[in-house]
Amino acid sequence: MKVRRDPRVPLTTAAGLGAVAVVVALVTGGSAPVVTAIAGVVTGLLAAISLIMAASRVVPAHRRQPGAWRWMAAGSLTWLLGVGVRPVADGTPFVLTFADLLLLVGSVLLAIGCGLSVKPPAFTRGVIRQAADAYLGAASVFTVAWVAVLGPAFRKAEDTGAFFVALALPLVCLLATCAVTPAVAASRSGNRVVGLTGVGVLTAITVAEMATALARLDGDTPPLAAGLVVPAMLLVLAVAPWVQEDRPARPLPAALTAATPLVLVAAATLVATLYAIGSSRDAALVVVASSVVLVLLGRLFVLLVETAGMRRLVDVGEQQLRRLAENTGDVVLVCDPGGVIQEVGPGLETTYGYRPEDLACRPIFDYIHPEDLPAVQALLDRMTDEDDGSEQEGGTRISCRFRASDGTWRPTESVAARHVRDDDLVLVTIRDLSDQVALRNQVTHLTFHDGVTGLPNRAYFEERARDVLSRRGAGGTAVIFLDLDGFTSVNDSVGHASGDHLLGQAARRLRSAVRADDTLARWGGDEFAVLLEGGASGGADAQTAIDLAERLVRAVSNEPFRVADRDVALTASVGVAFAEEDLPPGDLLRNADVAMSRAKELGGRRVEVFATHMHADVLRRLEIASDLQRALLENQFAIEYQPVVDLATSRVTAVEALVRWWRGSTFVPPEQFLGPAEDTGIIVPLSEWILREACREVAAWRASSWDIGLALNLSARQIMAPRFVETVAEALSESGLPASALTLEVIEEMLVEDAGEMISRLSELRTLGVRLAIDDFGTGYASLAFLRQLPVDMIKIDPSFVSGLGRDDTLTLLTKTIVQLGNDLGLIVVAEGIERPEQLDLLRKMGCTRGQGYLVARPMTARGVDSLMPTTTLQNTA
């Protein structure tokens, strides 16, 4: 064992002072009692001073044992007082003097200090067992001493009472020494030098006082050597607090320390047996009795070995449990029934920032959140209640919040169980759940919030609406739905990432427009929803909701959004719905969505308040949409043709194919089913069927030497459908209709919305030889630009212009301009909606070449077209 000495303490000087004091006393001719007294006073004073200094401030805190060392210092001072007054007290006629009582008290104080120097203290290791072991050891030593020394002295003593009174002091010291020696020897403390030295001092006092007692009984002076044994040990005790072991002490095996009293009893039995055999006639009886004692001692020794083995297994299990707790990041605390922390396992500083000494001897309740304190207190009470049989195997789990050194409350899961060694202690394992709770909160946030805008999502909004309507009722509660007009083109032009950036900007604008009590959420895609909560504190009347809806429209539309280094101007369509009594939350949200769709259908950038007829219209559209597929399979559709005539010659030059739907005996107007057909995609197979049927009919008419053309309207979904160009080519090939006889019509609005892809598809049709026409010319946004990009053969004047001919000068001028533009560009100009003779006359004067309308002919079936003669003339009622 390598030791180090504290350089701040002059230990060599202290030892030298004691030696000098003894030498001076001898040189000056002092007697043995005087020399012993001087040496005892000097060394006892040095030991006391050294122990007090070590307990106070000199030795580092982790090596101090202040309580034990102060008890030993008090014992040293009391003992030196007794030694100092002994030369005077020995002149009295009493067997035991006042000095002997001081020596007795000092020895007891030293024994208490030795017992406190170990952890746990020697006095908590089972009082009855410890007292029994101490008595066995002391009795065994006394027996051997009686046979060797005390027996002959007793037989020579004249007063037996005085004999035993004289031996009282050494016997008490012997009993105290035997009481603390096993515990100190088996101590796991890394610095048990002081405790072992204290045991050595007690042993020296026992030997010295035994020699002093025998000398008094014989009337002699105690020998000087016996008197100097104790001062020598006190010098060692003065040095002991300043000696540090670099490595942890290896305690004696538990079985060995536990068997020491048995070994002493066995030795005393053998000695007593030999003594009895030599002086007694009943030797056989003595031998049998001794053998019985020895056999019992052997049996008890085997039991101790087995117990030590089991204790070792318990220790190994406890170490494994601690290591497991350390590897899992758990913190292990040992608390007494009052919740005071007795031991602290490793990992505390890493997890919570405390040093072990910060929590030692502190109530665990100081670190538990006040709201969790009653449950923790009740748990500890149950764990320490011996009559409570409800404890679960493996401990009881409880969740609580533990305060870290930085003041934050950490969520934990703790397991409390009774200590395996002491039922009065509770073993608490604390696991930090901060990461798990943070992850769970993050998952919850992601579940109920939108990752792009940071707003609550649809699930949260629906749950919030249900909660508000269930608690506050319908009074003053409203829902606003908002859709960004034209947002799809943003994704198509600048990408989805830029689109998400735009949504984030829109969310910030909307958040600044709503009130603090309102709930703003992203419903999905480019749609947002606002919940205006009713009730006394935040009620929203109709005007308040409408005002907020208009603010939302302005927030989106007033300023363009900055996306991908460009400004993007968007508008918003907003729908408002108000809660009603007994209206389910889902219906309220549906009503707001229906109102928003209505605002979008009406052109956007407007606010629509839900009305009952809106829902009826939606239901009707859904019903029609569901019947369209069946109608297509059951051939419920028919084609009518509206003639197009040459205004100069009144000759029918072409027919425009128009679809009709007879649902049973009920006629469904085109404006009611073409929209749902476009939305559901049924328009694609329906348009293919119209194309094939119309091409077949017109090809048959052309086969009869009738030079007639076919005009068809195209929808956006039809043009963008896969294999659209191939479908047109196949229809022409199957029917035998020349491509030049087919004119496909598109409206300007379709060209504006999907310009690039739309023009590409139409250009492919143009290469087939199919003629192209722009329908409703003059009502779009960029007609002239697209006339340059897309080579068309025909423009058709919208009926809204023709209807004003002869009545509205402006419309007349616009119509004339369109006709002149078409003629200058070499295009065929067709006027639609001719219903009055004056319209026909004005169109002829303007130079319009073609026309169609009720004045010319109404739409008719194929049989009606058959009846038309190639020289069909126009009725002129002018």
Side-chain angles (χ1 to χ4, degrees):
M1 179 182 66
K2 180 181 178 181
V3 299
R4 295 190 305 223
R5 299 181 183 275
D6 194 316
R8 295 171 296 179
V9 180
L11 300 178
T12 305
T13 305
L17 288 176
V20 168
V22 175
V23 171
V24 169
L26 292 173
V27 172
T28 56
S31 61
V34 175
V35 173
T36 301
I38 295 174
V41 170
V42 174
T43 55
L45 184 60
L46 288 174
I49 295 174
S50 176
L51 289 168
I52 293 174
M53 291 177 61
S56 300
R57 66 180 185 278
V58 179
V59 178
H62 69 278
R63 290 173 46 210
R64 289 187 209 156
Q65 294 171 323
W69 294 357
R70 290 191 180 99
W71 278 94
M72 297 176 73
S76 299
L77 290 174
T78 307
W79 187 87
L80 72 88
L81 289 177
V83 170
V85 299
R86 172 171 272 184
V88 179
D90 284 344
T92 62
F94 302 103
V95 178
L96 282 179
T97 63
F98 175 71
D100 295 330
L101 294 177
L102 290 175
L103 292 173
L104 177 62
V105 174
S107 300
V108 172
L109 293 177
L110 282 170
I112 293 175
C114 292
L116 293 175
S117 66
V118 298
K119 294 182 178 180
F123 312 113
T124 62
R125 297 171 180 259
V127 178
I128 297 178
R129 174 187 169 188
Q130 186 176 1
D133 289 347
Y135 176 77
L136 289 176
S140 299
V141 174
F142 178 79
T143 300
V144 175
W146 183 272
V147 173
V149 180
L150 298 180
F154 175 74
R155 287 189 289 273
K156 293 189 300 181
E158 297 179 357
D159 187 354
T160 57
F163 178 82
F164 286 108
V165 171
L167 293 178
L169 177 57
L171 290 180
V172 172
C173 292
L174 176 61
L175 187 62
T177 303
C178 293
V180 299
T181 298
V184 176
S187 172
R188 292 186 177 91
S189 174
N191 185 18
R192 57 175 179 172
V193 177
V194 177
L196 292 175
T197 306
V199 171
V201 173
L202 288 175
T203 304
I205 292 175
T206 303
V207 173
E209 292 306 315
M210 184 69 73
T212 301
L214 293 176
R216 283 180 176 177
L217 293 173
D218 292 338
D220 298 331
T221 302
L224 180 61
L228 294 179
V229 171
V230 179
M233 290 303 303
L234 286 174
L235 280 178
V236 178
L237 182 61
V239 175
W242 311 99
V243 176
Q244 175 186 354
E245 296 184 9
D246 286 340
R247 288 178 293 181
R250 297 184 61 183
L252 296 176
L256 179 60
T257 57
T260 300
L262 304 182
V263 174
L264 294 177
V265 171
T269 301
L270 290 175
V271 171
T273 301
L274 294 176
Y275 176 74
I277 291 174
S279 60
S280 174
R281 296 180 180 179
D282 297 327
L285 182 60
V286 173
V287 171
V288 172
S290 300
S291 63
V292 170
V293 173
L294 293 176
V295 171
L296 290 176
L297 292 175
R299 180 69 183 87
L300 185 57
F301 180 78
V302 172
L303 182 61
L304 288 175
V305 171
E306 294 175 351
T307 303
M310 289 186 291
R311 186 179 296 276
R312 187 163 51 253
L313 292 177
V314 172
D315 293 341
V316 171
E318 185 176 354
Q319 292 177 2
Q320 292 177 346
L321 178 62
R322 287 180 176 271
R323 290 174 183 172
L324 179 62
E326 294 172 14
N327 293 333
T328 57
D330 295 350
V331 176
V332 179
L333 304 177
V334 178
C335 302
D336 63 9
V340 178
I341 301 174
Q342 302 296 325
E343 295 184 36
V344 180
L348 179 69
E349 186 169 3
T350 302
T351 306
Y352 296 105
Y354 295 110
R355 295 177 301 175
E357 53 267 26
D358 295 337
L359 267 66
C361 301
R362 295 285 301 275
I364 193 174
F365 308 119
D366 292 349
Y367 304 93
I368 303 297
H369 195 278
E371 295 178 0
D372 303 329
L373 200 55
V376 176
Q377 178 69 65
L379 174 63
L380 288 180
D381 292 342
R382 291 198 306 271
M383 297 299 301
T384 55
D385 187 358
E386 296 181 353
D387 298 331
D388 185 5
S390 62
E391 179 185 356
Q392 298 179 2
E393 184 178 356
T396 304
R397 295 180 181 272
I398 186 172
S399 297
C400 62
R401 285 159 288 182
F402 193 85
R403 178 165 55 85
S405 60
D406 58 2
T408 59
W409 294 102
R410 306 281 186 85
T412 66
E413 182 183 61
S414 302
V415 178
R418 289 180 179 174
H419 201 283
V420 294
R421 290 190 173 182
D422 191 344
D423 287 344
D424 291 335
L425 297 178
V426 177
L427 186 67
V428 181
T429 303
I430 301 177
R431 173 171 296 179
D432 185 31
L433 300 180
S434 298
D435 293 340
Q436 293 90 322
V437 171
L439 179 60
R440 184 165 60 248
N441 292 337
Q442 183 179 6
V443 171
T444 302
H445 180 82
L446 294 177
T447 302
F448 292 102
H449 287 75
D450 174 56
V452 175
T453 62
L455 297 175
N457 59 12
R458 177 173 180 172
Y460 178 88
F461 191 85
E462 291 177 339
E463 183 64 29
R464 182 63 180 170
R466 284 192 293 268
D467 180 63
V468 169
L469 291 178
S470 63
R471 289 188 295 105
R472 301 186 178 182
T477 302
V479 171
I480 300 175
F481 267 41
L482 180 144
D483 181 86
L484 299 179
D485 302 325
F487 177 76
T488 304
S489 61
V490 176
N491 281 337
D492 295 340
S493 59
V494 297
H496 288 274
S498 297
D500 291 344
H501 179 63
L502 187 148
L503 289 175
Q505 297 181 53
R508 288 191 290 273
R509 292 189 187 182
L510 297 176
R511 189 185 294 112
S512 63
V514 301
R515 303 176 303 178
D517 296 336
D518 299 334
T519 301
L520 172 65
R522 184 187 178 194
W523 186 254
D526 59 344
E527 297 181 6
F528 297 86
V530 181
L531 175 66
L532 286 75
E533 302 182 15
S537 61
D541 56 17
Q543 190 58 46
T544 302
I546 294 173
D547 291 343
L548 175 58
E550 292 177 348
R551 285 203 308 273
L552 297 177
V553 172
R554 291 193 297 271
V556 173
S557 308
N558 283 355
E559 295 181 7
F561 295 90
R562 188 68 178 174
V563 180
D565 296 331
R566 68 181 69 177
D567 290 333
V568 177
L570 295 180
T571 59
S573 300
V574 178
V576 182
F578 296 95
E580 301 174 2
E581 292 296 334
D582 300 326
L583 182 68
D587 291 352
L588 175 63
L589 301 179
R590 178 207 63 199
N591 294 344
D593 193 11
V594 169
M596 180 197 70
S597 300
R598 178 64 176 170
K600 202 169 186 69
E601 290 175 359
L602 296 177
R605 193 169 184 174
R606 60 185 296 136
V607 176
E608 285 291 322
V609 179
F610 175 80
T612 306
H613 70 84
M614 294 182 182
H615 185 212
D617 292 342
V618 172
L619 291 179
R620 185 165 52 253
R621 289 171 65 91
L622 291 176
E623 183 181 358
I624 291 176
S626 65
D627 291 342
L628 281 173
Q629 185 70 38
R630 184 171 63 254
L632 187 61
L633 296 175
E634 296 178 356
N635 297 321
Q636 296 179 6
F637 294 101
I639 301 178
E640 291 187 351
Y641 301 92
Q642 185 173 25
V644 178
V645 301
D646 187 329
L647 297 182
T649 64
S650 300
R651 184 176 59 87
V652 176
T653 61
V655 289
E656 181 178 357
L658 305 174
V659 65
R660 298 292 183 257
W661 180 20
W662 290 89
R663 188 164 50 177
S665 60
T666 304
F667 175 74
V668 182
E671 60 269 15
Q672 290 187 10
F673 70 85
L674 288 180
E678 180 82 12
D679 295 338
T680 59
I682 298 296
I683 192 67
V684 175
L686 178 60
S687 298
E688 292 181 4
W689 176 81
I690 297 172
L691 174 65
R692 295 179 187 276
E693 288 294 315
C695 287
R696 184 179 58 80
E697 291 283 358
V698 174
W701 291 329
R702 291 179 64 87
S704 301
S705 300
W706 187 6
D707 186 14
I708 188 172
L710 173 64
L712 286 174
N713 286 297
L714 298 180
S715 68
R717 187 182 287 265
Q718 181 183 6
I719 297 175
M720 302 305 296
R723 300 189 72 255
F724 168 66
V725 178
E726 290 83 351
T727 300
V728 174
E730 291 173 0
L732 294 174
S733 176
E734 292 173 0
S735 63
L737 182 70
S740 59
L742 177 63
T743 302
L744 298 180
E745 303 175 2
V746 296
I747 60 176
E748 290 181 81
E749 186 177 348
M750 291 165 49
L751 298 175
V752 173
E753 289 181 354
D754 266 321
E757 185 67 19
M758 189 71 65
I759 291 177
S760 175
R761 291 291 183 95
L762 294 177
S763 297
E764 293 180 26
L765 291 174
R766 195 70 173 78
T767 59
L768 293 177
V770 175
R771 296 195 295 178
L772 299 179
I774 297 180
D775 197 9
D776 299 336
F777 188 84
T779 60
Y781 300 96
S783 301
L784 297 179
F786 284 105
L787 286 176
R788 179 179 58 84
Q789 297 180 33
L790 180 66
V792 298
D793 303 279
M794 181 185 302
I795 58 175
K796 302 185 74 172
I797 303 174
D798 188 75
S800 62
F801 291 97
V802 177
S803 63
L805 291 179
R807 297 178 179 178
D808 189 316
D809 294 339
T810 301
L811 290 177
T812 302
L813 178 61
L814 289 175
T815 303
K816 182 178 180 181
T817 302
I818 294 174
V819 172
Q820 184 65 41
L821 175 65
N823 293 334
D824 292 342
L825 293 175
L827 303 178
I828 299 174
V829 180
V830 180
E832 296 182 291
I834 304 175
E835 297 180 353
R836 301 191 311 275
E838 62 268 24
Q839 296 172 342
L840 179 61
D841 291 340
L842 287 174
L843 288 171
R844 283 172 173 169
K845 293 177 181 179
M846 292 177 184
C848 181
T849 59
R850 305 285 174 87
Q852 64 183 102
Y854 285 175
L855 181 65
V856 177
R858 291 179 177 272
M860 59 190 68
T861 63
R863 181 173 298 180
V865 177
D866 288 337
S867 64
L868 294 177
M869 298 298 293
T871 58
T872 299
T873 60
L874 296 177
Q875 298 178 359
N876 192 338
T877 60

